[in-house]
């Protein structure tokens, strides 16, 4: 009976460690609600401070618009595909990424701009994108919202 009890305790402890690691991993990822809230916060910041200051803060790697795997990106709402801010990859700022495709060949920037320039001016886009936290290619769901002539987005990795 003693060996059985010890084995049972070891199995339970192992299961608890696995569950805790899943919980910790989930806590490191942003949620869809948090992504939407970050876009709303970025929109308010943009309205209050103007484009130059907002873009600088969106691009700041230690700024208020980067949280775990969540970050803000922005485009002009003119459809040109030139990225004006990207908290995770500043090398994309100033680049025309309109023709960029995800792993499935989807033109996700065109989709993002189409939603941002639509009558509603907001919505969700699904695509695959490298996760800066893991370095892996993951499914991503991005919330996009137009603020005047700027399209702001933030996505969550699935």
């Amino acid at each position: 009976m003693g060996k059985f009890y010890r084995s049972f305790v070891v199995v339970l402890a192992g299961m608890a460690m696995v569950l805790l690691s899943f919980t910790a991993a989930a806590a490191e990822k942003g949620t869809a609600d948090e992504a939407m809230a970050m876009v709303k916060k970025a929109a308010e910041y943009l309205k209050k401070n103007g484009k130059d200051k907002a873009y600088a803060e969106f691009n700041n790697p230690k700024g208020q618009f980067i949280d775990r795997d969540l970050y803000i990106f922005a485009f002009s709402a003119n459809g040109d595909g030139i990225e004006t801010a990207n908290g995770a990859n500043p090398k994309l700022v100033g680049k025309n990424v309109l023709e960029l495709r995800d792993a499935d060949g989807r033109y996700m920037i065109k989709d993002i701009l189409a939603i941002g320039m639509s009558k509603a001016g907001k919505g969700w886009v699904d695509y695959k994108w490298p996760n800066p936290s893991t370095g892996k290619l993951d499914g991503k769901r991005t919330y996009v919202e137009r603020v005047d002539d700027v399209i702001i987005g933030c996505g969550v990795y699935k």
Side-chain angles (χ1 to χ4, degrees):
M1 190 71 163
K3 283 185 177 182
F4 174 76
Y5 179 74
R6 278 185 291 222
S7 296
F8 183 70
V9 169
V10 168
V11 168
L12 280 179
M15 289 173 61
M17 288 176 23
V18 168
L19 287 174
L20 286 173
S21 69
F22 283 135
T23 302
E28 293 172 15
K29 295 174 92 173
T31 67
D33 287 342
E34 290 171 325
M36 188 182 289
M38 187 178 280
V39 168
K40 303 279 186 198
K41 179 180 173 184
E44 288 305 313
Y45 191 91
L46 173 65
K47 289 176 192 173
K48 182 178 179 184
N49 296 286
K51 290 180 194 176
D52 290 341
K53 190 170 181 181
Y55 292 157
E57 186 62 18
F58 298 164
N59 289 323
N60 179 355
K62 304 230 185 278
Q64 61 183 307
F65 296 103
I66 297 180
D67 177 20
R68 297 162 293 164
D69 61 346
L70 300 176
Y71 59 90
I72 290 292
F73 64 84
F75 291 92
S76 292
N78 61 9
D80 68 1
I82 296 174
E83 196 147 1
T84 55
N86 189 307
N89 189 350
K91 292 178 183 177
L92 292 176
V93 176
K95 300 257 186 341
N96 185 328
V97 293
L98 188 64
E99 299 297 320
L100 197 62
R101 296 183 197 203
D102 76 354
D104 294 331
R106 183 176 186 166
Y107 290 98
M108 74 268 191
I109 304 303
K110 289 181 180 182
D111 292 346
I112 286 167
L113 294 175
I115 287 181
M117 295 184 321
S118 69
K119 185 175 180 178
K122 59 186 174 181
W124 292 92
V125 177
D126 294 305
Y127 54 96
K128 291 186 179 162
W129 193 248
N131 185 329
S133 297
T134 65
K136 295 181 181 176
L137 186 65
D138 287 334
K140 188 168 186 181
R141 187 149 211 249
T142 293
Y143 179 72
V144 176
E145 189 169 314
R146 185 181 65 244
V147 180
D148 300 323
D149 63 344
V150 176
I151 297 169
I152 300 171
C154 180
V156 293
Y157 291 92
K158 299 176 183 179

